[in-house]
Amino acid sequence: MSNPIQKHFFQFICIFILFSFPLVSKDENEIEKNDFEVGIRLGFGFKAKGQFDEDLRNFRTFDAPNIYTNLNVSGFKNLKNGEIVFRRRWSPNVKFGFAYGFNDYEKFRMTEIASDGYITRLNFGISTNYFVATYHTEWNFRKFFLEGGLGFGINQTNWNTTGFAASGNEYQNQKGYLSGTGFQYKIEGSFNKKITDTLIFQMGISINYSSVPSFSGSLNGNSGSYFITRDGKVN
């Protein structure tokens, strides 16, 4: 399956390089020598609770009024993050660029036990690739500098599902792969320390928000588009 995020990423690299070379300052007093920045960032964090979590906890496989269910959702709290960043300094304290990154969320499990003896157990894995245009500004001090920035772009989120549904005389494997795209928002702040003239150590905090209206793909052999409503129904 082709990845539209990777496609846009390489397109913007070419555009960024072509348009940046004519804009490199020839006056070293106007802009610092290090006009370009290329970096790799790795991190870990926590996933804040949102509407998606509430929709999952309202999930029900049965909609009959005479069947009662108990649902338990575990995991889906931590995440790993990585980014490749490209930036250019446009003024002494302002940088523009873009970042290509991923959020790999902790796998989670959803178990539903119905009053008629039917058990459903689903294992989920969700990951997000994103591409954002970025703006950063600096506050310089004697031995270090602080940096704050914003980002806006697009994301592709992949949702893998495995598991089973079973009763006393029935067993069904559950398997699916869904993918969706949406907007990506980013805000961050960091502490920066120059190690050499060309190497910077950075440590900071970042908040990422991924918006995915719906998913499409295959679920138990059925292809289509799916989304979870506020009452937990899958449409």
Side-chain angles (χ1 to χ4, degrees), residues 3-169:
N3 189 330
I5 306 300
Q6 293 179 353
K7 179 181 178 181
H8 290 302
F9 172 67
F10 291 114
Q11 288 176 344
F12 272 88
I13 285 181
C14 296
I15 295 173
F16 185 78
I17 293 174
L18 289 174
F19 279 88
S20 292
F21 274 119
L23 296 171
V24 175
S25 174
K26 296 180 180 180
D27 186 354
E28 294 182 4
N29 295 323
E30 185 178 337
I31 298 180
E32 295 182 3
K33 293 181 180 179
N34 299 325
D35 285 336
F36 293 94
E37 291 184 6
V38 179
I40 297 176
R41 305 196 291 194
L42 299 174
F44 63 92
F46 307 95
K47 189 193 71 64
K49 291 184 178 181
Q51 186 60 51
F52 182 73
D53 299 77
E54 295 300 320
D55 295 343
L56 280 179
R57 295 186 186 282
N58 291 328
F59 174 81
R60 296 292 184 271
T61 55
F62 294 93
D63 198 25
N66 59 335
I67 296 179
Y68 302 94
T69 61
N70 177 269
L71 183 73
N72 177 263
V73 179
S74 60
F76 203 40
K77 296 179 180 179
N78 304 316
L79 62 90
K80 294 178 288 186
N81 172 262
E83 279 187 347
I84 302 174
V85 297
F86 296 85
R87 301 190 295 194
R88 183 186 186 275
R89 188 181 299 277
W90 293 80
S91 71
N93 295 318
V94 175
K95 305 172 188 175
F96 287 95
F98 52 87
Y100 174 73
F102 71 88
N103 288 324
D104 188 12
Y105 298 96
E106 176 189 5
K107 290 180 172 56
F108 61 106
R109 172 180 292 178
M110 185 167 64
T111 303
E112 181 193 51
I113 302 176
S115 59
D116 64 349
Y118 208 82
I119 299 175
T120 302
R121 175 169 291 177
L122 302 176
N123 304 302
F124 299 121
I126 294 180
S127 62
T128 297
N129 297 322
Y130 60 84
F131 176 79
V132 293
T134 60
Y135 162 85
H136 288 83
T137 186
E138 291 181 0
W139 295 273
N140 291 287
F141 297 88
R142 188 171 184 179
K143 295 184 178 180
F144 64 93
F145 64 92
L146 301 178
E147 190 175 81
L150 301 170
F152 174 74
I154 56 177
N155 77 74
Q156 176 174 314
T157 299
N158 301 315
W159 186 351
N160 290 292
T161 302
T162 60
F164 68 89
S167 63
N169 56 2

Side-chain angles (χ1 to χ4, degrees), residues 43 62 115 163 179 205 231:
F62 294 93
S115 59
S179 179
I205 298 175
D231 59 0

Side-chain angles (χ1 to χ4, degrees), residues 174-186:
Q174 306 289 308
K175 187 175 182 179
Y177 173 82
L178 303 175
S179 179
T181 58
F183 290 119
Q184 185 77 19
Y185 308 88
K186 182 181 181 66

Side-chain angles (χ1 to χ4, degrees), residues 174-221:
Q174 306 289 308
K175 187 175 182 179
Y177 173 82
L178 303 175
S179 179
T181 58
F183 290 119
Q184 185 77 19
Y185 308 88
K186 182 181 181 66
I187 183 171
E188 63 182 29
S190 64
F191 168 89
N192 301 264
K193 172 71 175 177
K194 282 192 174 182
I195 306 302
T196 67
D197 288 340
T198 58
L199 183 64
I200 297 174
F201 169 77
Q202 183 181 82
M203 180 174 60
I205 298 175
S206 175
I207 299 175
N208 285 283
Y209 180 80
S210 303
S211 174
V212 183
S214 64
F215 293 87
S216 61
S218 175
L219 184 63
N220 295 328

